[in-house]
Amino acid sequence: RKEVEQDPGPFNVPEGATVAFNCTYSNSASQSFFWYRQDCRKEPKLLMSVYSSGNEDGRFTAQLNRASQYISLLIRDSKLSDSATYLCVVNTGRRALTFGSGTRLQVQP
Amino acid sequence: GAGVSQSPSNKVTEKGKDVELRCDPISGHTALYWYRQSLGQGLEFLIYFQGNSAPDKSGLPSDRFSAERTGGSVSTLTIQRTQQEDSAVYLCASSTFSYEQYFGPGTRLTVT
């Protein structure tokens, strides 16, 4: 089983739609969680950290469910510029961070 | 402030040659990481430096790969006797203790 698993997608959604991604992790001792965004042929960029209480940044909401060992990212009112690959990232404690393979989002006009 | 910088941005080399890739982390960041990403693939962890601790080299794919971090700042990733399968984008990231990593633009390595 992979340490961090994501549905690769692609998720094709129209502008204005709400879309949600889930990510599961295998190590119950994991303590830090993040979502990164990666545009085609660019480096990953930190989108948001994920806190136990959940957190929101504008149209983006991240949630953590420790009992079920998953984190989620909700994007409301999708924009064309949201098209990218979204990487789920977990601190497993064994090494720095473990990146999921990413979920590709394509927002269509 | 300045972000993570990497050089060169592109490197084309012949099979069998050695290459050095450089990373300048964000000033004050104690942790530095190297990853590589092949076309259409996820990030593959290579090596992790944290302060003065011994680096975590568990991701290095072979003994042809090595990395140094001098003075707790600049890092160099060296690949000896390059092979075609080494072709990838090599990404460097740095962070504080919060683990929020900030990536450089990467070095695109092509081995011909």
Side-chain angles (χ1 to χ4, degrees):
Chain A
R1 182 184 174 187
K2 288 184 181 178
E3 291 184 73
V4 180
E5 293 203 64
Q6 294 183 251
D7 181 343
F11 284 60
N12 295 304
V13 302
E15 272 188 289
T18 295
V19 62
F21 310 133
N22 282 340
C23 162
T24 58
Y25 60 95
S26 61
N27 189 334
S28 60
S30 299
Q31 299 204 353
S32 303
F33 309 90
F34 309 91
W35 284 102
Y36 278 72
R37 169 198 170 122
Q38 187 172 27
D39 293 282
C40 189
R41 299 175 76 85
K42 297 285 191 180
E43 73 273 22
K45 293 190 173 166
L46 179 65
L47 180 64
M48 57 198 306
S49 301
V50 186
Y51 305 121
S52 297
S53 55
N55 48 306
E56 188 173 311
D57 183 2
R59 297 182 293 108
F60 298 83
T61 300
Q63 297 279 352
L64 168 63
N65 185 318
R66 287 191 184 273
S68 300
Q69 293 182 209
Y70 76 83
I71 66 173
S72 63
L73 178 67
L74 181 78
I75 306 175
R76 290 181 298 279
D77 188 24
S78 299
K79 312 290 185 192
L80 294 176
S81 57
D82 294 334
S83 297
T85 296
Y86 290 83
L87 305 171
C88 170
V89 185
V90 175
N91 172 14
T92 62
R94 183 169 61 85
R95 66 162 74 109
L97 293 177
T98 300
F99 283 74
S101 299
T103 297
R104 194 154 61 90
L105 171 66
Q106 185 66 49
V107 181
Q108 296 164 336
Chain B
V4 178
S5 62
Q6 291 186 246
S7 61
S9 54
N10 282 283
K11 177 72 176 179
V12 180
T13 190
E14 292 180 354
K15 178 181 171 181
K17 301 278 190 181
D18 297 353
V19 295
E20 284 190 352
L21 313 180
R22 177 186 167 106
C23 172
D24 276 281
I26 293 172
S27 177
H29 280 194
T30 56
L32 187 148
Y33 318 79
W34 284 98
Y35 299 87
R36 73 177 175 181
Q37 188 171 34
S38 301
L39 190 62
Q41 302 298 310
L43 271 73
E44 177 186 2
F45 166 76
L46 297 177
I47 188 168
Y48 161 47
F49 296 89
Q50 174 62 60
N52 295 322
S53 302
D56 176 357
K57 304 179 182 180
S58 59
L60 295 178
S62 79
D63 59 8
R64 296 186 296 104
F65 288 72
S66 63
E68 290 185 338
R69 188 178 185 193
T70 54
S73 182
V74 172
S75 177
T76 302
L77 177 69
T78 301
I79 308 173
Q80 296 179 310
R81 305 181 303 280
T82 52
Q83 305 294 314
Q84 287 186 329
E85 61 262 28
D86 299 336
S87 297
V89 176
Y90 288 80
L91 291 158
C92 174
S94 70
S95 78
T96 63
F97 289 105
S98 71
Y99 291 107
E100 293 180 351
Q101 294 186 10
Y102 295 88
F103 282 81
T107 293
R108 186 173 302 277
L109 175 66
T110 303
V111 182
T112 60

